[in-house]
Amino acid sequence: MSIVELKNVEVAFPQKKGEPVKAVNNVSLSIEKGDIYGIVGFSGAGKSTLVRTVNLLQKPTAGSITVDGTEFVKDGKQVISNKELQLKRRNIGMIFQGFNLLNETTVLENVAFALKHEKLSDEELEKRSLELLDLVDLKDKADFYPAELSGGQQQRVAIARALANNPDILISDEATSALDPQNTQQILDLLKRLNKKFHLTVILITHEMDAVKKIATKVAVMEHGNVIEDGSLRDIFLHPKQDLTKKFVGGSLEAISTLNSLALDKLGKNEAIYQLVYSVANVTKSIIIELYKQIGVEVSMLYGNVELLNEEPIGTLVVLVKGDPAKQKQTQEFLAKQNVTFTRLDEKGNVYHD
């Protein structure tokens, strides 16, 4: 069942001169309850603008938006009253890159601030706030001030505050971008734990594909305001269709950096570079050895990596294959039979086009 339904959503910003600029262009997405839905793209792709339409922090200029069965926008017009919208927003928690904590108040008071609309006694307010801090393993920091905490701890306070109203949806807008790798992992682990414990729907906005790989169940890839590809995390990674997606998946950005550092000469007519992405569980033999034995091509490994894709091991290889056009075709046919997704690259790591 969809908890967020976006249909043909558009966000256009008027300009003093010329046509309006479309930050989001005709986007349709269906996010099901309990999903960890990653929306990924480079800076300026329109990710944050799109997701802020979910709770109408950003009003769309076209399209329809339904959240948890309630229609917010129809044909570009808000159809929910502002009063009802304020109530519905309590069901949508948000965390941001900048934490947005009140520096002059304690950690406990920061969390309690999100409960100010509730008719709770001081004792009840403190109890509820401490319960929320316990959820994020920060109960012992209740009397600290934000400046006394690490970046990761501050983000956990922000998550506790976002959970104050028991939301069904939590939007994470680049929430790990300012954190180091260790704190990033801790926040992602926490989001995954909350997702499982409360069946919380998490919408993860990020330009870091590693974050999506670790916890997302589904993913949409955005470029220039458009969703160019969406589906299950596994399908997107093992069967990418668009050039940008192929760059994002399988450690490609790291592979591109490796290829550039090798400073390879222009490839000869009988040479080709392939990026291979495959489920380690489905490949029991060495791909390189099997290519040599069955096709007779010479294969050199330029880059290799195995990583966990939401707990499933996924392998990436970048290889240089030497063989005439007939052998290259046989190589591609062999890889397809092995359920290996392959993308031909040029010597700089860009997707190869004839």
Side-chain angles (χ1 to χ4, degrees):
M1 176 182 175
S2 295
I3 193 168
V4 176
E5 193 79 37
L6 307 179
K7 292 183 179 179
N8 307 118
V9 170
E10 175 186 292
V11 178
F13 295 112
Q15 304 297 301
K16 289 184 178 180
K17 294 182 180 180
E19 294 293 318
V21 173
K22 287 187 179 180
V24 175
N25 184 34
N26 196 35
V27 169
S28 297
L29 287 178
S30 181
I31 299 173
E32 295 181 7
K33 185 171 177 58
D35 278 345
I36 300 181
Y37 200 106
I39 301 179
V40 66
F42 292 122
S43 297
K47 309 180 299 295
S48 294
T49 303
L50 173 66
V51 171
R52 286 166 187 259
T53 67
V54 171
N55 55 9
L56 297 193
L57 290 180
Q58 174 63 57
K59 301 287 181 67
T61 48
S64 301
I65 298 169
T66 302
V67 179
D68 201 14
T70 299
E71 195 167 39
F72 283 15
V73 174
K74 184 176 182 180
D75 298 327
K77 304 294 183 182
Q78 181 177 327
V79 294
I80 187 174
S81 70
N82 287 331
K83 183 176 181 180
E84 188 179 2
L85 177 61
Q86 290 300 320
L87 293 173
K88 292 294 183 180
R89 279 177 173 168
R90 295 178 189 174
N91 194 43
I92 307 170
M94 287 195 77
I95 53 174
F96 306 90
Q97 179 178 345
F99 315 140
N100 291 356
L101 300 179
L102 303 170
N103 292 322
E104 299 79 16
T105 61
T106 66
V107 164
L108 184 68
E109 291 167 337
N110 264 277
V111 176
F113 182 77
L115 294 163
K116 63 180 182 177
H117 59 276
E118 300 286 349
K119 295 179 180 180
L120 300 174
S121 67
D122 289 346
E123 292 78 11
E124 290 171 330
L125 187 62
E126 180 176 350
K127 180 183 178 183
R128 174 63 179 152
S129 299
L130 286 171
E131 287 172 350
L132 289 163
L133 287 173
D134 195 32
L135 268 179
V136 299
D137 300 322
L138 283 179
K139 190 175 181 179
D140 60 332
K141 304 291 184 183
D143 296 326
F144 282 57
Y145 287 84
E148 299 177 280
L149 304 181
S150 69
Q153 289 172 327
Q154 290 185 59
Q155 193 58 281
R156 280 191 272 157
V157 175
I159 292 172
R161 185 181 58 188
L163 296 174
N165 296 299
N166 297 311
D168 288 324
I169 302 166
L170 179 64
I171 296 173
S172 170
D173 190 0
E174 297 282 9
T176 61
S177 296
L179 304 179
D180 60 44
Q182 181 177 354
N183 278 311
T184 293
Q185 185 62 58
Q186 290 174 353
I187 294 299
L188 293 175
D189 288 344
L190 174 59
L191 292 177
K192 190 167 186 177
R193 176 160 58 87
L194 293 171
N195 165 260
K196 289 183 176 180
K197 184 171 184 176
F198 299 111
H199 204 48
L200 183 67
T201 303
V202 179
I203 305 176
L204 183 69
I205 312 305
T206 182
H207 64 274
E208 300 170 328
M209 185 53 90
D210 280 347
V212 172
K213 290 176 186 176
K214 287 182 171 71
I215 67 169
T217 53
K218 296 177 183 174
V219 61
V221 182
M222 287 194 72
E223 183 178 32
H224 305 313
N226 299 289
V227 169
I228 61 171
E229 200 158 353
D230 67 288
S232 74
L233 180 70
R234 193 177 191 278
D235 285 346
I236 292 293
F237 269 76
L238 292 181
H239 308 290
K241 298 179 179 65
Q242 303 297 323
D243 285 359
L244 179 64
T245 315
K246 291 173 182 177
K247 284 187 177 182
F248 267 129
V249 306
S252 294
L253 297 179
E254 186 178 344
I256 289 170
S257 177
T258 301
L259 287 175
N260 284 324
S261 70
L262 293 174
L264 297 173
D265 294 329
K266 187 170 179 62
L267 298 176
K269 65 177 183 179
N270 290 332
E271 294 180 325
I273 295 175
Y274 297 98
Q275 173 187 278
L276 317 179
V277 183
Y278 54 94
S279 169
V280 172
N282 292 340
V283 179
T284 58
K285 297 179 181 179
S286 168
I287 294 171
I288 291 177
I289 292 174
E290 290 301 309
L291 278 172
Y292 174 75
K293 287 170 60 176
Q294 297 192 34
I295 313 288
V297 290
E298 182 181 335
V299 183
S300 301
M301 189 172 75
L302 305 177
Y303 170 87
N305 186 36
V306 175
E307 59 189 337
L308 290 177
L309 188 66
N310 203 356
E311 302 180 5
E312 179 185 3
I314 299 294
T316 300
L317 288 175
V318 177
V319 296
L320 174 65
V321 177
K322 294 182 180 180
D324 60 32
K327 294 289 187 183
Q328 297 291 349
K329 184 178 180 181
Q330 287 180 272
T331 295
Q332 294 175 15
E333 291 171 349
F334 169 81
L335 293 172
K337 288 180 181 178
Q338 299 298 313
N339 292 319
V340 174
T341 297
F342 61 89
T343 303
R344 189 168 175 180
L345 307 176
D346 64 19
E347 63 274 7
K348 299 297 183 183
N350 300 310
V351 177
Y352 177 87
H353 295 286
D354 290 323

